[in-house]
Amino acid sequence: MHDPFPFPPPSLLTHLTTPLANALSLPTLSLHIHELLLATLVYHLICRYISPYVSSKLFPRIYPALSARTRLNWDVHVVSLSQSLLINTLALWVMWMDEERGRMGWEERVWGYTGADGMIQGFAAGYFLWDLIVCAGNVGVFGWGLLAHAVAALVVFSLGFRPFVNFYGPTFILYELSSPFLNFHWFFDKLHMTGSRPQWYNGMFLLSSFFCCRLLWGTYQSIRVSQDVWAALHYDPLTRSSKAVFEPEAGGADIMRFAGDYPMPAWLAIVYLSSNVVLNTLNFYWFGKMIETIKKRFVESKEQKGARKREGREEGVMVEGLMDSSTLITEIAEDEDMQFGGEDIMYDGEVEDKLTMESSILDGKSTMHVEKTEVRRRKG
């Protein structure tokens, strides 16, 4: 299947990219460099301009009051949500429409190339290039771990331009089917909906999609790609039959036009297979952590609510003087069965989030003047 993107790469851009592509042994990079750079530019525009504008309009009392660090995290999550929706749609469409994929043997899956799979590689690499730029420019916010992840992801997806296991680009992109629910979970916390029913439903979709896409589908496809790479690593052209492996009707000549002599460097197999093992191990680890997080959001909040009812609480009633805003916030939260404060508010470890939440509820006032109050203890 040819590249379905409606615009070919500009000749000047192709000319400038070809020397670098040849030096890095990535011959198909020049065919998809425009898609890579376009994706990087679009994600930059979303993070820098579109997300702040739209978020301020949709959440005028919440988004502008966030600290600079949290606003950056918010905008990055908007990009992640946009990217996952786009790339999943493209990958599913390519896997459904590309009839050549069903006729490929292990040779084509390892060394073959199609324009449609190259397009997926291009858009995916564009996102990870943007991710690398953001993480490198904000190490204090995202940490060295995410920077290392961005580098590794860009390197692994760039290998598809050798081309190497180009077939598996759309396959492994489907890991991202769980990402929209992960981003929504984060947004629910920032919208002060922690422990809410919508977050509960989203959490169930998150766990289900993560389990199906990453643990079941991902592990199965990792086994398949490991078998193909192992076969390629032990490929011996001297013992290969003289009969053509690729039938003309399968488009084999076109698919294998970048294969050359089918080289398989040992380092390439080791890097790729090791990355797969590490990624799958992390997926199982993250799944366990996600279960713990969701239990913490909902199970512990119910236990805390029951403890408050058993122990009783102080109730603020109208009194003369000034009532501190944090006291008022706590009482509103208890009256409405909402979970403010503590770990839920300090999601990113930022005290500013709690302060900005108070100011948004009280229209920017840190205290509220009332004429009469009295404090009385009520037993549960």
Side-chain angles (χ1 to χ4, degrees):
M1 182 177 180
H2 295 291
D3 188 346
F5 194 69
F7 305 105
S11 56
L12 177 61
L13 187 59
T14 301
H15 176 74
L16 294 175
T17 307
T18 299
L20 176 63
N22 292 335
L24 298 176
S25 299
L26 305 175
T28 66
L29 175 61
S30 58
L31 301 178
H32 301 281
I33 185 63
H34 61 310
E35 295 159 347
L36 186 155
L37 295 179
L38 176 62
T40 304
L41 176 62
V42 169
Y43 295 138
H44 170 72
L45 294 177
I46 293 175
C47 184
R48 185 67 177 84
Y49 301 104
I50 299 176
S51 174
Y53 177 79
V54 175
S55 299
S56 297
K57 294 296 183 181
L58 294 178
F59 309 103
R61 297 172 66 87
I62 295 178
Y63 179 82
L66 296 175
S67 65
R69 175 191 179 101
T70 308
R71 283 200 301 273
L72 176 59
N73 263 302
W74 179 296
D75 297 332
V76 167
H77 277 276
V78 171
V79 175
S80 175
L81 177 62
S82 304
Q83 186 265 350
S84 60
L85 293 175
L86 172 64
I87 203 69
N88 284 325
T89 302
L90 290 175
L92 289 171
W93 182 80
V94 167
M95 294 175 69
W96 179 265
M97 298 296 295
D98 190 356
E99 298 179 356
E100 294 172 334
R101 295 175 60 87
R103 297 195 296 266
M104 290 184 180
W106 70 263
E107 294 95 335
E108 292 106 325
R109 292 197 295 266
V110 173
W111 291 302
Y113 163 82
T114 67
D117 291 339
M119 179 192 68
I120 300 297
Q121 295 282 161
F123 281 113
Y127 169 76
F128 289 117
L129 175 60
W130 169 86
D131 188 38
L132 174 60
I133 294 172
V134 171
C135 290
N138 301 275
V139 177
V141 176
F142 300 107
W144 292 101
L146 285 182
L147 177 60
H149 176 272
V151 172
L154 180 60
V155 170
V156 169
F157 269 88
S158 296
L159 291 176
F161 297 119
R162 279 184 73 92
F164 176 69
V165 293
N166 190 255
F167 170 90
Y168 287 98
T171 300
F172 287 115
I173 278 294
L174 294 186
Y175 276 18
E176 295 293 318
L177 285 171
S178 63
S179 294
F181 304 108
L182 182 63
N183 286 296
F184 282 129
H185 184 82
W186 189 91
F187 285 125
F188 280 130
D189 280 328
K190 295 308 173 188
L191 294 174
H192 317 316
M193 297 177 65
T194 301
S196 64
R197 192 172 295 275
Q199 191 181 47
W200 166 260
Y201 292 140
N202 180 79
M204 294 302 99
F205 282 115
L206 171 59
L207 289 178
S208 301
S209 60
F210 193 96
F211 179 79
C212 293
C213 298
R214 293 181 180 251
L215 302 191
L216 294 183
W217 172 262
T219 301
Y220 169 68
Q221 294 298 332
S222 294
I223 294 173
R224 289 191 63 196
V225 74
S226 298
Q227 292 173 334
D228 288 346
V229 171
W230 185 261
L233 186 62
H234 293 81
Y235 170 79
D236 185 359
L238 297 179
T239 60
R240 177 180 169 184
S241 172
S242 59
K243 181 181 178 181
V245 176
F246 314 109
E247 297 297 332
E249 62 268 22
D254 184 59
I255 290 174
M256 302 299 290
R257 67 183 184 273
F258 295 105
D261 296 327
Y262 305 166
M264 172 56 67
W267 67 264
L268 184 58
I270 293 172
V271 168
Y272 195 87
L273 296 182
S274 298
S275 299
N276 251 282
V277 171
V278 171
L279 182 57
N280 278 281
T281 302
L282 286 174
N283 282 333
F284 280 91
Y285 171 76
W286 288 334
F287 187 70
K289 299 299 290 185
M290 288 164 58
I291 294 176
E292 291 180 9
T293 300
I294 291 178
K295 288 177 63 178
K296 181 179 179 181
R297 287 288 189 275
F298 298 98
V299 177
E300 291 184 7
S301 64
K302 292 180 180 179
E303 293 176 354
Q304 293 170 359
K305 177 181 176 182
R308 288 200 305 270
K309 290 183 178 180
R310 290 191 300 270
E311 297 173 2
R313 62 185 174 90
E314 290 190 352
E315 180 181 4
V317 191
M318 300 302 284
V319 229
E320 193 168 344
L322 292 175
M323 179 180 289
D324 181 70
S325 62
S326 62
T327 303
L328 183 60
I329 293 294
T330 301
E331 301 212 1
I332 293 174
E334 291 177 346
D335 288 342
E336 298 298 330
D337 291 328
M338 299 166 69
Q339 298 296 315
F340 294 127
E343 291 187 31
D344 290 335
I345 293 305
M346 298 178 67
Y347 187 83
D348 288 320
E350 300 176 26
V351 179
E352 292 90 338
D353 283 356
K354 184 173 185 296
L355 298 177
T356 53
M357 185 196 67
E358 294 174 1
S359 64
S360 67
I361 292 180
L362 298 177
D363 294 325
K365 299 177 182 178
S366 60
T367 58
M368 178 174 286
H369 183 79
V370 294
E371 295 181 355
K372 293 182 180 181
T373 51
E374 62 183 33
V375 177
R376 62 187 180 208
R377 181 169 293 281
R378 183 178 71 183
K379 297 294 184 182

mmCIF file of all heavy atoms in Angstrom, residues 139-157:
data_model
loop_
_atom_site.group_PDB
_atom_site.id
_atom_site.type_symbol
_atom_site.label_atom_id
_atom_site.label_comp_id
_atom_site.label_asym_id
_atom_site.label_seq_id
_atom_site.Cartn_x
_atom_site.Cartn_y
_atom_site.Cartn_z
ATOM 1 N N VAL A 139 13.799 19.691 31.805
ATOM 2 C CA VAL A 139 14.245 18.541 32.595
ATOM 3 C C VAL A 139 13.820 18.688 34.049
ATOM 4 O O VAL A 139 13.490 17.702 34.719
ATOM 5 C CB VAL A 139 15.776 18.381 32.494
ATOM 6 C CG1 VAL A 139 16.252 17.238 33.377
ATOM 7 C CG2 VAL A 139 16.186 18.134 31.054
ATOM 8 N N GLY A 140 13.810 19.924 34.552
ATOM 9 C CA GLY A 140 13.392 20.148 35.926
ATOM 10 C C GLY A 140 11.948 19.793 36.192
ATOM 11 O O GLY A 140 11.566 19.512 37.331
ATOM 12 N N VAL A 141 11.132 19.799 35.151
ATOM 13 C CA VAL A 141 9.707 19.466 35.298
ATOM 14 C C VAL A 141 9.478 17.973 35.076
ATOM 15 O O VAL A 141 8.810 17.313 35.870
ATOM 16 C CB VAL A 141 8.856 20.283 34.300
ATOM 17 C CG1 VAL A 141 7.385 19.871 34.389
ATOM 18 C CG2 VAL A 141 9.011 21.770 34.575
ATOM 19 N N PHE A 142 10.032 17.428 34.010
ATOM 20 C CA PHE A 142 9.738 16.052 33.622
ATOM 21 C C PHE A 142 10.773 15.041 34.100
ATOM 22 O O PHE A 142 10.487 13.845 34.153
ATOM 23 C CB PHE A 142 9.587 15.962 32.101
ATOM 24 C CG PHE A 142 8.480 16.817 31.561
ATOM 25 C CD1 PHE A 142 8.753 17.988 30.865
ATOM 26 C CD2 PHE A 142 7.154 16.472 31.764
ATOM 27 C CE1 PHE A 142 7.734 18.786 30.376
ATOM 28 C CE2 PHE A 142 6.127 17.266 31.279
ATOM 29 C CZ PHE A 142 6.412 18.425 30.587
ATOM 30 N N GLY A 143 11.976 15.496 34.427
ATOM 31 C CA GLY A 143 12.984 14.590 34.960
ATOM 32 C C GLY A 143 13.803 13.912 33.882
ATOM 33 O O GLY A 143 13.442 13.887 32.702
ATOM 34 N N TRP A 144 14.911 13.327 34.303
ATOM 35 C CA TRP A 144 15.813 12.652 33.379
ATOM 36 C C TRP A 144 15.227 11.334 32.865
ATOM 37 O O TRP A 144 15.564 10.885 31.771
ATOM 38 C CB TRP A 144 17.149 12.387 34.067
ATOM 39 C CG TRP A 144 17.905 13.639 34.355
ATOM 40 C CD1 TRP A 144 17.992 14.292 35.560
ATOM 41 C CD2 TRP A 144 18.665 14.421 33.426
ATOM 42 N NE1 TRP A 144 18.750 15.430 35.436
ATOM 43 C CE2 TRP A 144 19.190 15.530 34.141
ATOM 44 C CE3 TRP A 144 18.961 14.291 32.071
ATOM 45 C CZ2 TRP A 144 19.984 16.491 33.530
ATOM 46 C CZ3 TRP A 144 19.759 15.260 31.477
ATOM 47 C CH2 TRP A 144 20.263 16.344 32.191
ATOM 48 N N GLY A 145 14.351 10.713 33.652
ATOM 49 C CA GLY A 145 13.754 9.454 33.224
ATOM 50 C C GLY A 145 12.915 9.615 31.969
ATOM 51 O O GLY A 145 13.030 8.819 31.019
ATOM 52 N N LEU A 146 12.054 10.648 31.935
ATOM 53 C CA LEU A 146 11.226 10.880 30.749
ATOM 54 C C LEU A 146 12.068 11.340 29.567
ATOM 55 O O LEU A 146 11.735 11.056 28.409
ATOM 56 C CB LEU A 146 10.139 11.905 31.061
ATOM 57 C CG LEU A 146 8.971 11.395 31.909
ATOM 58 C CD1 LEU A 146 7.946 12.496 32.111
ATOM 59 C CD2 LEU A 146 8.316 10.183 31.247
ATOM 60 N N LEU A 147 13.164 12.051 29.851
ATOM 61 C CA LEU A 147 14.055 12.440 28.766
ATOM 62 C C LEU A 147 14.687 11.202 28.137
ATOM 63 O O LEU A 147 14.761 11.088 26.901
ATOM 64 C CB LEU A 147 15.144 13.376 29.293
ATOM 65 C CG LEU A 147 16.209 13.808 28.272
ATOM 66 C CD1 LEU A 147 15.572 14.553 27.104
ATOM 67 C CD2 LEU A 147 17.272 14.670 28.943
ATOM 68 N N ALA A 148 15.132 10.269 28.964
ATOM 69 C CA ALA A 148 15.706 9.027 28.448
ATOM 70 C C ALA A 148 14.671 8.229 27.665
ATOM 71 O O ALA A 148 14.973 7.641 26.616
ATOM 72 C CB ALA A 148 16.261 8.184 29.599
ATOM 73 N N HIS A 149 13.419 8.227 28.152
ATOM 74 C CA HIS A 149 12.346 7.532 27.441
ATOM 75 C C HIS A 149 12.115 8.153 26.068
ATOM 76 O O HIS A 149 11.919 7.439 25.072
ATOM 77 C CB HIS A 149 11.066 7.576 28.261
ATOM 78 C CG HIS A 149 9.888 6.967 27.579
ATOM 79 N ND1 HIS A 149 9.050 7.689 26.741
ATOM 80 C CD2 HIS A 149 9.393 5.700 27.580
ATOM 81 C CE1 HIS A 149 8.107 6.898 26.269
ATOM 82 N NE2 HIS A 149 8.287 5.694 26.753
ATOM 83 N N ALA A 150 12.141 9.491 25.994
ATOM 84 C CA ALA A 150 11.922 10.171 24.718
ATOM 85 C C ALA A 150 13.038 9.833 23.726
ATOM 86 O O ALA A 150 12.777 9.599 22.536
ATOM 87 C CB ALA A 150 11.847 11.682 24.935
ATOM 88 N N VAL A 151 14.274 9.784 24.203
ATOM 89 C CA VAL A 151 15.404 9.436 23.333
ATOM 90 C C VAL A 151 15.261 8.009 22.818
ATOM 91 O O VAL A 151 15.404 7.738 21.616
ATOM 92 C CB VAL A 151 16.740 9.599 24.083
ATOM 93 C CG1 VAL A 151 17.891 9.055 23.245
ATOM 94 C CG2 VAL A 151 16.983 11.064 24.441
ATOM 95 N N ALA A 152 14.972 7.080 23.733
ATOM 96 C CA ALA A 152 14.854 5.674 23.353
ATOM 97 C C ALA A 152 13.710 5.458 22.363
ATOM 98 O O ALA A 152 13.857 4.721 21.378
ATOM 99 C CB ALA A 152 14.653 4.808 24.593
ATOM 100 N N ALA A 153 12.570 6.089 22.622
ATOM 101 C CA ALA A 153 11.418 5.921 21.736
ATOM 102 C C ALA A 153 11.703 6.470 20.341
ATOM 103 O O ALA A 153 11.342 5.847 19.335
ATOM 104 C CB ALA A 153 10.194 6.625 22.327
ATOM 105 N N LEU A 154 12.372 7.627 20.273
ATOM 106 C CA LEU A 154 12.705 8.196 18.962
ATOM 107 C C LEU A 154 13.671 7.293 18.203
ATOM 108 O O LEU A 154 13.519 7.076 16.997
ATOM 109 C CB LEU A 154 13.302 9.589 19.148
ATOM 110 C CG LEU A 154 13.710 10.313 17.862
ATOM 111 C CD1 LEU A 154 12.518 10.505 16.935
ATOM 112 C CD2 LEU A 154 14.351 11.666 18.191
ATOM 113 N N VAL A 155 14.650 6.739 18.902
ATOM 114 C CA VAL A 155 15.624 5.857 18.266
ATOM 115 C C VAL A 155 14.952 4.591 17.731
ATOM 116 O O VAL A 155 15.162 4.179 16.587
ATOM 117 C CB VAL A 155 16.758 5.497 19.246
ATOM 118 C CG1 VAL A 155 17.630 4.384 18.673
ATOM 119 C CG2 VAL A 155 17.603 6.719 19.555
ATOM 120 N N VAL A 156 14.114 3.972 18.564
ATOM 121 C CA VAL A 156 13.457 2.722 18.172
ATOM 122 C C VAL A 156 12.547 2.931 16.971
ATOM 123 O O VAL A 156 12.559 2.146 16.010
ATOM 124 C CB VAL A 156 12.680 2.125 19.355
ATOM 125 C CG1 VAL A 156 11.785 0.980 18.896
ATOM 126 C CG2 VAL A 156 13.645 1.626 20.430
ATOM 127 N N PHE A 157 11.747 4.012 16.994
ATOM 128 C CA PHE A 157 10.840 4.237 15.871
ATOM 129 C C PHE A 157 11.596 4.683 14.619
ATOM 130 O O PHE A 157 11.136 4.448 13.502
ATOM 131 C CB PHE A 157 9.767 5.262 16.246
ATOM 132 C CG PHE A 157 8.535 4.631 16.822
ATOM 133 C CD1 PHE A 157 8.440 4.383 18.174
ATOM 134 C CD2 PHE A 157 7.483 4.248 16.011
ATOM 135 C CE1 PHE A 157 7.317 3.778 18.716
ATOM 136 C CE2 PHE A 157 6.355 3.647 16.525
ATOM 137 C CZ PHE A 157 6.263 3.408 17.886
#
